[in-house]
Amino acid sequence: MKILVTGGAGFIGSNFIFYMLKEHPEDSIICLDALTYAGNLSTLKPVLDDPRFRFVKADICDREKVYDLFESEKPDYVVHFAAESHVDRSIDDPGIFVKTNVLGTQVLIDACVKYGIKRFHHVSTDEVYGDLPLDRPDMFFVETLPLKASSPYSASKASSDLLVMSYHRTFGLDATLSRCSNNYGPYQFPEKMIPLMIANAMADKPLPVYGEGINVRDWLYVEDHCRAIDLILRKGRSGEVYNIGGHNEMRNIDIVKLICAELGKPESLITFVKDRKGHDMRYAIDPAKIHNELGWLPQTMFRDGIKKTIRWYLDNRSWWEEIVNGDYKEYYQKMYGNR
Ligand code: NAD
Ligand code: TDX
């Protein structure tokens, strides 16, 4: 099958492309990506010469270009990762989140309806459910919960979820939707918590923990997320939402301490800074549906995945050093300079 992957020069999208080309030699992939600050063509270097792969630089909001691409390539399936993805940036400047995540998604699903795509898979997030209290470990996110976003980022993702489902019902679009918990692994942009802490620790810089560091996230190794999407794309039921997560809840502070220990750095680098506005307390996914219907289970335990991830950042310094020495410096100063 021919799959159009949007946002494939970013963290999860690139890992998905590697996964699919490895697991499905018969498939071909076209990656559409605008190469924003978060997209990096060098990430895709290992597949750029693969005859089953083609990269196209385009903005999902550019209707004409998107339609031209659908017309010329006639993809069977679309897997939609492209988005503005960082909560802190959405608090600083919400506009681009509405444009890319909501309007960009609309352009894509319009194209899918117009050109009769077999299936559109929308990659969403557990953040659309809002958050859970710390003192209710019995509570989990299930697919039937109402949406209750906290940040402009999660509100824009929730809006796109609703739009996709409305196209399924109204226009008969074959659509599936997944809501995954926090991912970690190779090629994650260093603005996100885990790679930021690894990069700072390696440079003996302060490790900025928001608030008291007691917020809980449910971490999943990126390849497990990719495998879940592949399964949903092939075997999931149209019009259904699937939660993805591996019951791996951890407090931020414990992860940062673990990174210090793995890298042999002192915990004195940890610096508690001003909390994120509207900071969600706890995310925790109930993955029973994808397990029962599609047999999915995570394969990488956190203790192994975090070691592999740290190893990757140690072995691929040039990938992230190029980023942190570029425009990112300005971003870092703005976000953390007076925090
Ligand atoms: P990322 O920020 O690393 O990558 C986003 C990619 O999208 C980049 O390559 C960027 O260039 C591209 N992009 C942005 N705007 C675009 C536009 N207008 N047109 C075309 N391309 C554009 O993001 P990520 O962490 O890989 O997340 C991918 C998807 O997964 C997002 O939809 C996100 O909401 C979702 N998600 C992420 C996580 C996580 O933990 N990172 C968890 C659950 C869901
Ligand atoms: O410097 C930091 N210090 C800190 O304490 C950063 C960047 C984050 N944090 C905290 C905030 C969160 O509680 O760490 C936790 C994780 O933060 P992020 O890596 O920014 O992830 P989060 O806000 O949980 O959102 C992520 O998971 C869901 C992704 O960025 C989203 O794209 C995805 O939808």
Side-chain angles (χ1 to χ4, degrees), residues 84-88 124-127 153 157 180-183 188 191-197 208-211 213 215-217 219 252 256 273 276 279-281 283 331 336 339:
E84 287 294 331
S85 69
H86 193 36
V87 173
D88 292 328
S124 189
T125 168
D126 60 355
E127 299 199 16
Y153 161 68
K157 292 295 289 187
C180 190
S181 58
N182 285 60
N183 283 213
Q188 186 166 30
E191 68 191 348
K192 304 286 164 46
M193 200 263 275
I194 287 184
L196 184 148
M197 298 300 173
V209 172
Y210 298 166
N215 305 64
V216 169
R217 297 291 183 265
W219 295 94
N252 295 338
V256 179
V273 300
R276 174 184 278 174
H279 199 174
D280 281 336
M281 286 316 299
Y283 301 149
Y331 164 83
Y336 297 92
R339 198 152 184 159

Side-chain angles (χ1 to χ4, degrees), residues 178-305:
S178 55
R179 297 188 178 130
C180 190
S181 58
N182 285 60
N183 283 213
Y184 68 100
Y187 298 109
Q188 186 166 30
F189 195 83
E191 68 191 348
K192 304 286 164 46
M193 200 263 275
I194 287 184
L196 184 148
M197 298 300 173
I198 296 173
N200 280 18
M202 281 168 72
D204 296 305
K205 281 185 147 150
L207 307 177
V209 172
Y210 298 166
E212 297 172 73
I214 55 173
N215 305 64
V216 169
R217 297 291 183 265
D218 185 357
W219 295 94
L220 186 73
Y221 192 64
V222 62
E223 199 174 59
D224 281 325
H225 185 186
C226 297
R227 197 161 32 80
I229 293 172
D230 182 24
L231 264 178
I232 299 168
L233 191 63
R234 284 160 209 270
K235 298 187 180 146
R237 286 183 293 136
S238 182
E240 291 293 319
V241 175
Y242 294 89
N243 280 352
I244 308 171
H247 281 303
N248 184 62
E249 291 178 52
M250 292 185 70
R251 298 189 316 167
N252 295 338
I253 186 68
D254 296 327
I255 296 203
V256 179
K257 285 183 178 170
L258 188 70
I259 291 171
C260 289
E262 284 292 330
L263 287 170
K265 299 290 181 180
E267 287 183 9
S268 56
L269 287 175
I270 296 174
T271 314
F272 292 95
V273 300
K274 200 162 133 223
D275 210 350
R276 174 184 278 174
K277 284 183 188 153
H279 199 174
D280 281 336
M281 286 316 299
R282 171 176 167 248
Y283 301 149
I285 283 277
D286 177 351
K289 180 173 173 178
I290 189 168
H291 175 60
N292 294 337
E293 272 191 30
L294 305 177
W296 178 87
L297 276 177
Q299 291 180 351
T300 300
M301 303 289 291
F302 188 78
R303 61 168 183 270
D304 302 324

Side-chain angles (χ1 to χ4, degrees), residues 10-69:
F11 165 46
I12 309 174
S14 60
N15 277 283
F16 181 74
I17 289 170
F18 299 147
Y19 177 87
M20 294 297 274
L21 289 174
K22 181 177 65 155
E23 294 295 320
H24 302 289
E26 70 288 1
D27 290 348
S28 61
I29 291 184
I30 304 139
C31 168
L32 181 164
D33 197 297
L35 297 180
T36 67
Y37 80 92
N40 196 338
L41 195 54
S42 78
T43 300
L44 292 171
K45 220 166 159 192
V47 295
L48 283 178
D49 292 331
D50 189 321
R52 297 171 300 153
F53 179 76
R54 182 185 164 205
F55 179 81
V56 177
K57 183 173 186 295
D59 188 326
I60 53 167
C61 300
D62 185 338
R63 193 172 282 274
E64 210 180 306
K65 264 203 185 152
V66 169
Y67 282 17
D68 281 352
L69 186 64

Side-chain angles (χ1 to χ4, degrees), residues 1-6 16 30 32 60 66 70 74-81 108-109 111-112 117-123 173-176 229 233:
M1 61 201 208
K2 194 187 248 193
I3 309 167
L4 177 66
V5 174
T6 71
F16 181 74
I30 304 139
L32 181 164
I60 53 167
V66 169
F70 273 72
K74 300 187 176 42
D76 302 303
Y77 293 83
V78 177
V79 182
H80 178 35
F81 293 94
L108 281 175
I109 51 183
C112 289
I117 252 44
K118 285 195 183 122
R119 170 158 288 181
F120 177 82
H121 181 75
H122 185 59
V123 180
L173 174 69
D174 186 312
T176 46
I229 293 172
L233 191 63

